[in-house]
Amino acid sequence: MVSGEARKVDDASVALAVSTVIFALRQDEASGLATVWLPLVRRIREPFDGQWALPGGPLGAAEDLATAARRTLGETTGLTPGYLEQLYAFGDVDRSPGPRVVSIVYWALVQSEEAQRASVGENVQWFPADDLPALAFDHNLIVDYALWRLRNKMEYSRIAHAFLGETFTLTQLREVHEAVRGRALDPANFRRSIEGSDAVVATDQRVTGTRHRPARLFRYNTSIDLADQGPLSRLNERKEP
Amino acid sequence: MVSGEARKVDDASVALAVSTVIFALRQDEASGLATVWLPLVRRIREPFDGQWALPGGPLGAAEDLATAARRTLGETTGLTPGYLEQLYAFGDVDRSPGPRVVSIVYWALVQSEEAQRASVGENVQWFPADDLPALAFDHNLIVDYALWRLRNKMEYSRIAHAFLGETFTLTQLREVHEAVRGRALDPANFRRSIEGSDAVVATDQRVTGTRHRPARLFRYNTSIDLADQGPLSRLNERKEP
DNA sequence: CCAGTAAGGGTCATTACAACCCTAAGTCAG
DNA sequence: CTGACTTAGGGTTGTAATGACCCTTACTGG
């Protein structure tokens, strides 16, 4: 039998949802070190009524997958991500009680200030990514996988700037890496590895008023593909305004 | 508005399909070097009637995504992959004329002999991955991405054995790497890098009758996670018999 | 003006890797 | 039987990347 890609699913009871794991960094008040946090949404209907879940919702009929991820994320949390990438499609038959749901999950990064600005209400709360409660559906596994991808990708690509503003010091950039990778990095070695690559461009500005030696401000090299998705970057470029 | 993951898609016209890019190695008759090939299926209905497309089909109501990939692959090409991993979900609104289709695409590897055995008919043909005709839908982009992932993954993980049998010589393993990466590798350096890792276990068997010095046969170290998918390997383990 | 601290640069040992060379051990032609 | 040929497999060396550690520079607040 030869495939007919356009045929409908036999049983129309398969629903398609889009969810997003979105990370930001937060200073721990005790240690002063930054760690990875993410917002969760309290469910207000069965199944898993009252439990925490990833922000998301059904796919609209006229929107692309990434657009649906942005929209549902905005509707539920008010956040606008600085980086967004598809993570995985979860579709096990038994992953949700009741009608079957296939979830296409994205993962994203926001700047910390943007995360502060966004509304936080009764039904949206931030949690440390390493220490989550039991979530609805298979969302604990999803977060684990997203966190693993974030940590992996931080080592070989240049997504760290999505946590920072337009310009930043090398110390700020290093602190992002330290927060995600969970250990201290040598400032001098870090500087050399970054400056040795072409990821970053020095500006002629400096940060003063820090009661220390003024630090140079850097900007990301926009002529470089930060995402490192190979042929797919074509697809992503096309879609962004 | 808070998400309801289990709600149906507003417009029920979104169909969910599963396709697979499956690679095998073939000797080029002229040069004797191996290169990467994949089977394509000729479409026998609109849209793209008569053009080549990836093997696939609609998702069944009671099967997991990977199961659907294996099933549709078997039905259309007769192949049983030695390795299977999710690639990406393609869901742009305009990727298919007519009713909307979201395709969850897998990529896979088969042993070369298994690929030989599988039926090849009028409507299934093998093509070199580097030199494809214009395919149906966005399948050229999909194959490019799958090939990029294969080449990337070959460098840092241990999937090469999926092209080989139970036991193999280091020369065979090296030829797999050479075929995928497209360039010759130094035999001595390759040997050291493999033996230095714990990916491979030497058996006490040797290959004779090759009119050369007999080569040791190796076996893969099954106590190691070959796929390197982090937390997802949990999910995959569970599903395989 | 001095103490404290971050910015930023230098040095060195270790490691991974590529290039290149050599020897070992089979088969086949004669 | 023997030597040519070819692949198996090991050794040596230079280079590039990385981490550990030390030093100087430059600002601010007391």
Side-chain angles (χ1 to χ4, degrees), chain B residues 1-20:
Chain B
M1 186 174 108
V2 167
S3 83
E5 165 147 7
R7 267 180 290 163
K8 300 270 174 64
V9 173
D10 310 46
D11 184 337
S13 74
V14 178
L16 202 48
V18 177
S19 301
T20 305

Side-chain angles (χ1 to χ4, degrees), chain A residues 100-178:
Chain A
R100 183 168 181 194
V101 181
V102 171
S103 282
I104 296 174
V105 179
Y106 280 74
W107 67 284
L109 307 178
V110 251
Q111 293 180 215
S112 308
E113 307 100 58
E114 160 74 7
Q116 299 278 347
R117 264 199 302 281
S119 65
V120 177
E122 174 84 6
N123 291 321
V124 179
Q125 249 182 59
W126 288 79
F127 293 84
D130 283 322
D131 184 29
L132 293 179
L135 306 183
F137 307 104
D138 49 2
H139 289 190
N140 282 293
L141 173 65
I142 294 177
V143 172
D144 283 350
Y145 184 47
L147 200 51
W148 180 84
R149 276 269 280 268
L150 167 64
R151 291 188 166 131
N152 263 8
K153 195 134 195 173
M154 187 71 83
E155 297 195 359
Y156 67 82
S157 80
R158 291 141 190 194
I159 52 172
H161 79 292
F163 284 120
L164 299 170
E166 187 72 8
T167 57
F168 47 87
T169 66
L170 288 185
T171 297
Q172 290 178 310
L173 187 62
R174 177 170 49 82
E175 283 167 353
V176 170
H177 277 85
E178 288 177 338

Side-chain angles (χ1 to χ4, degrees), chain B residues 91-240:
Chain B
D92 279 9
V93 172
D94 60 358
R95 64 182 288 273
S96 168
R100 184 169 178 193
V101 181
V102 171
S103 281
I104 295 174
V105 180
Y106 279 75
W107 67 283
L109 308 178
V110 251
Q111 292 179 217
S112 308
E113 305 101 58
E114 159 76 7
Q116 301 276 347
R117 263 200 303 280
S119 65
V120 178
E122 174 84 5
N123 290 321
V124 179
Q125 249 179 61
W126 287 78
F127 294 84
D130 284 322
D131 184 29
L132 293 179
L135 306 184
F137 307 104
D138 48 4
H139 289 189
N140 282 294
L141 173 64
I142 294 177
V143 172
D144 284 349
Y145 184 46
L147 201 50
W148 181 83
R149 277 269 281 267
L150 167 64
R151 289 187 167 132
N152 265 6
K153 194 133 196 173
M154 188 70 84
E155 296 196 359
Y156 66 84
S157 79
R158 291 142 190 193
I159 53 172
H161 80 291
F163 283 121
L164 300 171
E166 187 73 6
T167 57
F168 47 86
T169 66
L170 288 184
T171 297
Q172 289 178 311
L173 187 62
R174 176 169 51 82
E175 283 168 351
V176 170
H177 278 84
E178 288 176 337
V180 173
R181 292 160 66 170
R183 66 185 183 91
L185 300 173
D186 183 279
N189 293 336
F190 182 79
R191 174 185 324 282
R192 270 187 292 269
S193 75
I194 294 294
E195 285 188 313
S197 77
D198 47 3
V200 119
V201 180
T203 69
D204 51 3
Q205 299 168 55
R206 288 178 173 270
V207 175
T208 54
T210 58
R211 71 188 262 181
H212 300 299
R213 177 173 173 175
R216 264 204 295 268
L217 277 174
F218 288 81
R219 187 184 308 279
Y220 257 85
N221 185 350
T222 51
S223 67
I224 286 190
D225 179 26
L226 304 169
D228 189 31
Q229 288 218 87
L232 276 196
S233 47
R234 270 193 269 156
L235 195 145
N236 290 333
E237 277 161 18
R238 193 159 53 81
K239 294 295 163 187
E240 291 309 324

Side-chain angles (χ1 to χ4, degrees), chain A residues 63-80:
Chain A
E63 63 187 354
D64 294 341
L65 300 176
T67 307
R70 284 182 203 279
R71 175 183 59 77
T72 56
L73 187 63
E75 285 172 0
T76 52
T77 66
L79 292 167
T80 302

Side-chain angles (χ1 to χ4, degrees), chain A residues 32-46:
Chain A
L33 294 174
T35 52
V36 180
W37 291 62
L38 78 164
L40 295 172
V41 177
R42 196 197 299 275
R43 287 187 56 81
I44 53 171
R45 71 186 72 205
E46 291 296 338

Side-chain angles (χ1 to χ4, degrees), chain A residues 17-97:
Chain A
V18 177
S19 302
T20 307
V21 184
I22 181 160
F23 296 115
L25 300 185
R26 289 206 162 185
Q27 305 289 121
D28 184 82
E29 277 135 32
S31 69
L33 294 174
T35 52
V36 180
W37 291 62
L38 78 164
L40 295 172
V41 177
R42 196 197 299 275
R43 287 187 56 81
I44 53 171
R45 71 186 72 205
E46 291 296 338
F48 297 102
D49 189 17
Q51 275 189 260
W52 296 101
L54 293 171
L59 175 69
E63 63 187 354
D64 294 341
L65 300 176
T67 307
R70 284 182 203 279
R71 175 183 59 77
T72 56
L73 187 63
E75 285 172 0
T76 52
T77 66
L79 292 167
T80 302
Y83 179 76
L84 183 76
E85 178 186 322
Q86 193 179 300
L87 179 68
Y88 201 76
F90 293 85
D92 278 10
V93 172
D94 59 359
R95 65 182 287 275
S96 169

